[in-house]
Amino acid sequence: MKLTIVEYPDKRLKEKSKSIEKFDKELHKLLDAMYETMVGSNGIGLAAIQVGHAKRALILNIPDEDDEQSIDTLIEMINPIITQTSGVTTYQEGCLSVPSFYEDVERHENITVNYQDRDGNTKIIEADGLLSIAIQHEMDHLEGILFIDKLSYSRRKKFEKEYKRMQKEKKLSKS
Ligand code: QAP
Ligand code: CO
């Protein structure tokens, strides 16, 4: 089922998500619905809070070299923890909860992450490139942090101005 994406400035995006203890059918249903919602919205990453569930679950589907997105490369992370980091990298990020705005954000270049899969099995992944950036972006959602919260004061001001103008245009086009 395709779910509704929670968009900024909705307060729910500031909530800290809770650890998952039950790896049951309800969790699997949520993960499946998150996948449908993400792919249907042209996303490459989504955290549960973005569909209104304050649970420590996120999904990632990074396109391959041919820019193809395949369910075979879908990663589901439950209760992820970053255990190692190195290097610094910058990428122009976006977010399904902050549509049509993109800005440079600094992240760790390489990370090691411990997490659980949908059945509760412990996994370890070493990530670099876009996957590393995407994991850090989605893990911030679990803490109630958006990429726009990481911008400098002046870039945040630029965002607020652009976003308010966009929302007005959206309303006008509907009336
Ligand atoms: C997070 O972001 C991310 O504004 C995932 O109109 C960001 O999937 C991971 C999207 C940067 C790695 C690098 C955004 C779709 C999708 C929009 C997304 C939009 C339509 C964002
Ligand atoms: Co996001």
Side-chain angles (χ1 to χ4, degrees):
M1 199 179 47
K2 195 173 173 204
L3 308 171
T4 307
I5 293 182
V6 176
E7 291 184 5
Y8 179 85
D10 195 304
K11 293 263 188 309
R12 285 175 286 177
L13 293 169
K14 288 192 156 295
E15 278 180 45
K16 187 175 152 91
S17 293
K18 296 233 170 13
S19 288
I20 291 173
E21 270 145 37
K22 280 192 283 186
F23 296 83
D24 55 6
K25 199 163 165 205
E26 195 188 317
L27 174 65
H28 296 175
K29 268 193 200 160
L30 172 62
L31 290 166
D32 292 345
M34 283 171 64
Y35 178 75
E36 204 182 315
T37 307
M38 180 181 72
V39 170
S41 315
N42 298 316
I44 59 167
L46 188 74
I49 192 64
Q50 292 181 274
V51 290
H53 294 256
K55 294 182 174 176
R56 301 187 83 79
L58 60 89
I59 61 171
L60 304 152
N61 201 359
I62 307 297
D64 64 20
E65 304 86 66
D66 309 317
D67 220 25
E68 299 279 353
Q69 228 174 351
S70 152
I71 193 158
D72 303 334
T73 54
L74 174 69
I75 300 176
E76 297 173 339
M77 291 187 168
I78 315 298
N79 305 326
I81 296 168
I82 295 178
T83 57
Q84 281 189 67
T85 67
S86 69
V88 175
T89 185
T90 302
Y91 191 84
Q92 191 171 50
E93 297 191 10
C95 180
L96 286 171
S97 295
V98 191
S100 306
F101 185 81
Y102 308 87
E103 194 55 89
D104 280 359
V105 179
E106 218 174 75
R107 301 282 184 188
H108 304 295
E109 188 169 22
N110 309 282
I111 57 171
T112 306
V113 188
N114 289 23
Y115 66 96
Q116 286 168 289
D117 68 10
R118 61 161 63 203
D119 299 312
N121 303 307
T122 302
K123 305 262 178 173
I124 300 176
I125 192 172
E126 273 181 46
D128 59 15
L130 191 55
L131 179 60
S132 169
I133 293 162
I135 294 170
Q136 293 171 71
H137 175 110
E138 299 310 333
M139 282 184 70
D140 270 353
H141 278 298
L142 308 185
E143 301 304 319
I145 297 167
L146 299 175
F147 80 101
I148 49 169
D149 297 329
K150 300 184 114 68
L151 304 180
S152 67
Y153 181 81
S154 63
R155 285 188 189 267
R156 177 63 182 243
K157 283 273 174 250
K158 175 188 152 212
F159 160 74
E160 296 295 347
K161 209 171 146 189
E162 269 183 34
Y163 204 75
K164 272 184 195 140
R165 181 162 49 80
M166 254 183 34
Q167 302 287 93
K168 260 186 211 160
E169 278 167 15
K170 255 194 197 173
K171 268 188 206 157
L172 282 175
S173 70
K174 274 187 211 155
S175 67

